[in-house]
């Protein structure tokens, strides 16, 4: 501030740029479901074959998370965002030229997923960590909301492009648009660290001293994955998050549009339902964090899975557009609401220094569930001619996850596990 006027802290500009890129990246990642029927009509590929591409995509999306997080630490998030955007845009453009099934797997299943994974929270959370000390929770909430909002914006856009110009042109323009808009934004406005602009992290002067003093009074350690795997709560968190992926990204996100079309809804109505679901994701995620802060974590997590099971039982019986929208709203409220209690439980049980590593592995279990759910939905449809059994399987798993959530013991691991003293006979009574 050299001219008497308060200048905008550059970190907010960085945040706005990252949110813009995440809107496009997460939205493009979510559009594959609206392409299934037109691609199926052109090539005659089975629903299971196309679902396999979706399953591979979901698996790759989770598998790249630990790698891109590590690269963001080593290279800085700016380079990772540039590379990931280039990969996602290139994969989307290449998807418009596919003529064989393996090409769909390579473009949509690998390249698009790897690029979207690089634009995910594993990379962008480093922006919050490096640029902000104060309001870091708010920043992470904004980044999470951007992932949901992208689905709400891009899915209807993709559907409109398909109806006007066909699925190939839709893939092409989405990919070209991402490359032309996102790459310059990252290059111009994203920087790795406040020091790159001669700045300090936002709020550092007022907070760092108190935080450091508080940290000095608490002995913490990093819990390795091998040790965490010996704790039952780790597996309960991984299993419940597996169900979250199976029932949300895997089954509903991939198959809601073709399921709605099979029940007489227009694909635009189905795409609008996905957009509504994305909007409710934002509300549900913010509300979930507020609820967990005030009422604990296990109870709300169990309720979320229970409500998800009820909504999935209801889905095969939607009969008109309002009922489809009701499902989208209810399911959207707990679509991502499982994330705040799950990540908070990881922190409370294993310590804040272990959240990144352990959350990465638990998120990987989420994506394994997503991949299996995407594949199973197509396979069950091909075998039965309906998605009813697929949605019922997800409902049953959601009810199981609700019960498993209540079994999680929110007890922190001891920073220094006590050793049981070796018995001696020196003082033993005669």
């Amino acid at each position: 501030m050299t001219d008497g006027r308060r200048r905008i802290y550059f970190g907010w500009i960085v945040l706005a740029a990252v949110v813009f890129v995440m809107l496009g990246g997460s939205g493009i990642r979510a559009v594959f479901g609206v392409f299934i029927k037109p691609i199926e009509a052109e090539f005659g590929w089975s629903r299971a074959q196309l679902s396999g591409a979706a399953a591979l995509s979901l698996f790759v999306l989770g598998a790249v998370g630990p790698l891109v997080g590590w690269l963001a630490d080593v290279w800085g998030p700016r380079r990772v965002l540039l590379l990931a955007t280039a990969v996602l845009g290139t994969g989307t453009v290449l998807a418009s030229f596919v003529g064989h099934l393996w090409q769909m797997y390579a473009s949509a299943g690998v390249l698009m997923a790897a690029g979207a994974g690089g634009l995910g929270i594993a990379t962008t959370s480093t922006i919050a960590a490096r640029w902000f000390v104060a309001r870091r929770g708010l920043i992470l909430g904004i980044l999470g909301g951007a992932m949901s909002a992208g689905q709400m914006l891009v899915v209807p856009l993709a559907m409109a492009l398909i109806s006007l110009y066909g699925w190939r042109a839709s893939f092409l323009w989405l990919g070209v648009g991402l490359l032309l808009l996102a790459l310059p934004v990252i290059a111009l406005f994203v920087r790795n660290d406040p020091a790159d602009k001669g700045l300090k992290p936002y709020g550092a002067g007022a907070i760092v001293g108190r935080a450091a003093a508080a940290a000095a009074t608490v002995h913490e350690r990093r819990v390795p994955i091998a040790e965490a795997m010996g704790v039952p709560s780790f597996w309960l968190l991984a299993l419940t998050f597996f169900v979250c992926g199976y029932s949300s990204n895997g089954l509903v996100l991939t198959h809601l549009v073709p399921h709605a079309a099979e029940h007489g809804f227009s694909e635009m109505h189905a795409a609008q339902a996905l957009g509504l679901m994305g909007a409710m994701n934002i509300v549900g995620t913010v509300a979930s964090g507020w609820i967990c802060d005030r009422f604990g974590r296990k109870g709300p997590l169990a309720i979320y899975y229970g409500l998800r099971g009820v909504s999935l039982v209801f889905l095969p019986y939607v009969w008109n557009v309002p009922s489809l929208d009701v499902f989208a709203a209810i399911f959207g409220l707990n679509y991502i609401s499982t994330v705040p209690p799950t990540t908070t439980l990881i922190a409370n049980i294993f310590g804040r220094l272990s959240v990144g590593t352990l959350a990465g592995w638990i998120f990987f279990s989420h994506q394994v569930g997503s991949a299996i759910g995407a594949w199973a939905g197509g396979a069950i449809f091909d075998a039965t001619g309906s998605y009813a059994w697929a949605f019922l399987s997800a409902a049953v798993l959601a009810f199981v996850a609700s019960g498993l959530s209540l079994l999680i013991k929110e007890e922190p691991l001891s920073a220094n596990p006590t050793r049981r003293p070796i018995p001696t006979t020196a003082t033993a009574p005669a």
Side-chain angles (χ1 to χ4, degrees), residues 7-8 22 34 109 149 153 156 176-177 188 194 214 246 252 295 333 364 386:
R7 301 177 63 183
I8 297 176
M22 288 184 74
V34 304
L153 296 173
V176 170
L188 290 173
Y246 179 94
V252 171
F295 303 106
L333 280 173
F364 182 65
S386 169

Side-chain angles (χ1 to χ4, degrees), residues 247 252 307-316 327 331 391-392 394-395 398:
S247 57
V252 171
L307 290 175
R308 181 174 301 189
V310 171
S311 65
L312 287 165
V313 170
F314 170 75
L315 178 56
F327 164 79
F331 193 87
F391 293 130
L392 179 61

Side-chain angles (χ1 to χ4, degrees), residues 16 21 34 58 90 160 169 176 179 185 194 228 289 295 302 305 328 350 358 376 391 403 417:
V21 174
V34 304
L58 293 165
T90 300
V176 170
L179 293 171
V185 167
F295 303 106
Y305 282 118
F350 299 102
L358 301 184
F391 293 130

Side-chain angles (χ1 to χ4, degrees), residues 66-119:
L67 173 61
V68 297
W70 177 78
L71 288 175
D73 287 337
V74 176
W75 289 357
R78 184 171 184 264
R79 288 185 180 181
V80 177
L81 292 173
L82 286 169
L83 176 61
T85 300
V87 172
L88 175 58
T90 300
T92 307
V93 170
L94 290 176
S96 68
F97 295 100
V98 299
H100 301 280
L101 185 61
W102 71 265
Q103 294 170 342
M104 181 60 69
Y105 276 65
S107 58
V110 176
L111 290 178
M112 290 177 64
L119 298 179

Side-chain angles (χ1 to χ4, degrees), residues 32-430:
F32 188 76
V34 304
F35 286 87
I36 287 179
K37 287 190 72 67
I39 294 174
E40 189 179 59
E42 177 170 336
F43 292 106
W45 295 331
S46 71
R47 193 68 55 87
Q49 289 175 312
L50 287 172
S51 298
L56 175 62
S57 171
L58 293 165
F59 181 83
V60 172
L61 183 71
V64 300
L67 173 61
V68 297
W70 177 78
L71 288 175
D73 287 337
V74 176
W75 289 357
R78 184 171 184 264
R79 288 185 180 181
V80 177
L81 292 173
L82 286 169
L83 176 61
T85 300
V87 172
L88 175 58
T90 300
T92 307
V93 170
L94 290 176
S96 68
F97 295 100
V98 299
H100 301 280
L101 185 61
W102 71 265
Q103 294 170 342
M104 181 60 69
Y105 276 65
S107 58
V110 176
L111 290 178
M112 290 177 64
L119 298 179
I121 202 70
T123 303
T124 56
S125 62
T126 61
I127 296 292
R130 294 184 181 208
W131 280 89
F132 295 90
V133 175
R135 302 186 183 179
R136 187 175 290 168
L138 171 64
I139 304 308
L140 289 169
I142 292 172
L143 293 173
M147 296 181 67
S148 299
Q151 171 184 319
M152 179 177 62
L153 296 173
V154 178
V155 169
L157 172 62
M159 197 65 234
L161 290 172
I162 291 173
S163 65
L164 292 173
Y165 305 109
W167 68 268
R168 291 184 183 275
S170 182
F171 265 136
L172 177 64
W173 288 115
L174 288 174
V176 170
L178 182 73
L179 293 171
L180 292 180
L181 295 176
L183 286 176
V185 167
I186 298 170
L188 290 173
F189 300 114
V190 176
R191 296 295 181 269
N192 289 326
D193 193 89
D196 296 342
K197 299 290 290 184
L199 300 170
K200 294 181 179 180
Y202 183 83
I207 294 179
V208 167
R210 292 198 303 268
T217 65
V218 180
H219 182 71
E220 292 183 293
R221 66 188 179 94
R222 194 178 305 276
V223 178
I225 181 63
E227 181 180 349
M229 291 174 66
V231 179
S233 292
F234 174 85
W235 292 105
L236 290 170
L237 288 166
L239 286 171
T240 53
F241 222 38
F242 171 92
V243 173
C244 181
Y246 179 94
S247 57
S248 59
N249 288 15
L251 198 55
V252 171
L253 185 60
T254 304
H255 294 285
L256 179 62
V257 171
H259 166 75
E262 298 293 339
H263 282 68
F265 296 96
S266 71
E267 294 187 353
M268 183 57 73
H269 283 146
Q272 290 171 347
L274 283 178
L276 174 61
M277 192 181 299
M280 298 308 291
N281 285 346
I282 302 172
V283 176
T285 304
V286 175
S288 175
W290 182 87
I291 290 170
C292 290
D293 285 342
R294 286 155 180 78
F295 303 106
R297 288 143 293 277
K298 294 197 306 181
L301 187 60
I303 292 172
Y304 300 154
Y305 282 118
L307 290 175
R308 181 174 301 189
V310 171
S311 65
L312 287 165
V313 170
F314 170 75
L315 178 56
Y317 305 103
V318 296
W319 63 93
N320 55 20
V321 173
S323 65
L324 180 63
D325 289 342
V326 168
F327 164 79
I330 295 174
F331 193 87
L333 280 173
N334 63 53
Y335 192 105
I336 307 180
S337 64
T338 56
V339 174
T342 299
T343 53
T344 306
L345 283 166
I346 295 170
N348 290 354
I349 296 170
F350 299 102
R352 64 181 182 88
L353 298 182
S354 307
V355 171
T357 300
L358 301 184
W361 284 104
I362 289 174
F363 177 72
F364 182 65
S365 75
H366 180 282
Q367 293 308 111
V368 171
S370 299
I372 294 175
W375 171 82
I380 291 172
F381 179 87
D382 284 345
T384 66
S386 169
Y387 284 110
W389 285 105
F391 293 130
L392 179 61
S393 72
V396 171
L397 287 175
F399 292 135
V400 171
S402 180
L404 292 177
S405 300
L406 297 175
L407 298 178
I408 297 171
K409 291 185 177 181
E410 193 173 353
E411 298 176 355
L413 291 181
S414 172
N416 287 305
T418 57
R419 296 179 180 273
R420 185 173 297 175
I422 301 174
T424 64
T425 58
T427 60

